[in-house]
Amino acid sequence: MTVEEALNRAAALCAASECCPADILKRLQRWELNAKEQASVMGKLQSEGFLDEQRFARCFALEKIRFNKWGRRKVAQALWAKQIDQRTIDEVLNAIDPEEYLHVLRPLMKSKSRSIRANSDYEQQMKLTRFALSRGFSFNEIKACIAVPDEMNIDDED
């Protein structure tokens, strides 16, 4: 594949959806471009606005929180796996609105609490906590949602 073809294909991929720079670099390697050609294509994609690590991280984080109901820790781990800079990860996660974040956690815990079978309140809280921790939410956020049972009983407008 020529450099021009690789650039066009990579630009088409980036135009179709937000792409991670590391993923595009892997594709360029798979297309058997040498390091100089890869750097050239990546530079052009970034200069023309097709690739932006900050924009990708922001979109990825919001998508995973809103639609997949992930917590900050799980999102941070996924971004780290995609080789996003730690400073960028911190900026993106700190920019998330706390109210929107809890708006994801509360209904998630409410729906999970309906399906949990437990012999005591303590056992149910531990199962709920374990579930929310596996989704990437912090213990303090989980504890705050469990401690306020009135808000969990309120029907959301979802």
Side-chain angles (χ1 to χ4, degrees), residues 88-156:
T88 303
I89 293 172
D90 293 340
E91 288 174 11
V92 166
L93 294 179
N94 289 334
I96 295 170
D97 180 32
E99 275 303 311
E100 180 181 353
Y101 190 65
L102 289 177
H103 186 69
V104 168
L105 179 58
R106 285 183 185 125
L108 181 69
M109 290 182 67
K110 180 181 176 185
S111 67
K112 183 64 176 176
S113 69
R114 291 182 194 134
S115 66
I116 291 178
R117 294 186 183 191
N119 296 329
S120 66
D121 286 342
Y122 176 78
E123 185 180 354
Q124 181 168 9
Q125 287 181 356
M126 289 302 104
K127 287 182 177 184
L128 264 176
T129 301
R130 215 172 307 126
F131 167 74
L133 284 171
S134 74
R135 288 297 192 115
F137 292 95
S138 75
F139 186 74
N140 290 335
E141 296 158 345
I142 297 165
K143 194 168 113 177
C145 283
I146 290 176
V148 186
D150 295 335
E151 289 198 26
M152 289 184 62
N153 291 332
I154 296 174
D155 288 329
D156 295 325

Side-chain angles (χ1 to χ4, degrees), residues 31-137:
W31 294 337
E32 299 177 358
L33 295 178
N34 64 38
K36 186 178 178 183
E37 293 170 337
Q38 291 172 18
S40 170
V41 170
M42 292 295 286
K44 286 182 183 176
L45 289 173
Q46 289 173 344
S47 68
E48 293 176 12
F50 285 105
L51 273 183
D52 185 356
E53 187 176 83
Q54 180 83 23
R55 187 178 64 212
F56 168 78
R58 190 174 45 252
C59 292
F60 182 87
L62 289 176
E63 176 183 309
K64 294 302 180 186
I65 289 171
R66 288 179 184 161
F67 302 120
N68 294 40
K69 313 274 190 246
W70 285 9
R72 283 186 177 100
R73 290 179 182 195
K74 193 166 183 174
V75 171
Q77 184 179 15
L79 287 171
W80 177 82
K82 290 195 169 282
Q83 301 173 0
I84 301 297
D85 182 51
Q86 186 62 44
R87 188 175 62 245
T88 303
I89 293 172
D90 293 340
E91 288 174 11
V92 166
L93 294 179
N94 289 334
I96 295 170
D97 180 32
E99 275 303 311
E100 180 181 353
Y101 190 65
L102 289 177
H103 186 69
V104 168
L105 179 58
R106 285 183 185 125
L108 181 69
M109 290 182 67
K110 180 181 176 185
S111 67
K112 183 64 176 176
S113 69
R114 291 182 194 134
S115 66
I116 291 178
R117 294 186 183 191
N119 296 329
S120 66
D121 286 342
Y122 176 78
E123 185 180 354
Q124 181 168 9
Q125 287 181 356
M126 289 302 104
K127 287 182 177 184
L128 264 176
T129 301
R130 215 172 307 126
F131 167 74
L133 284 171
S134 74
R135 288 297 192 115
F137 292 95

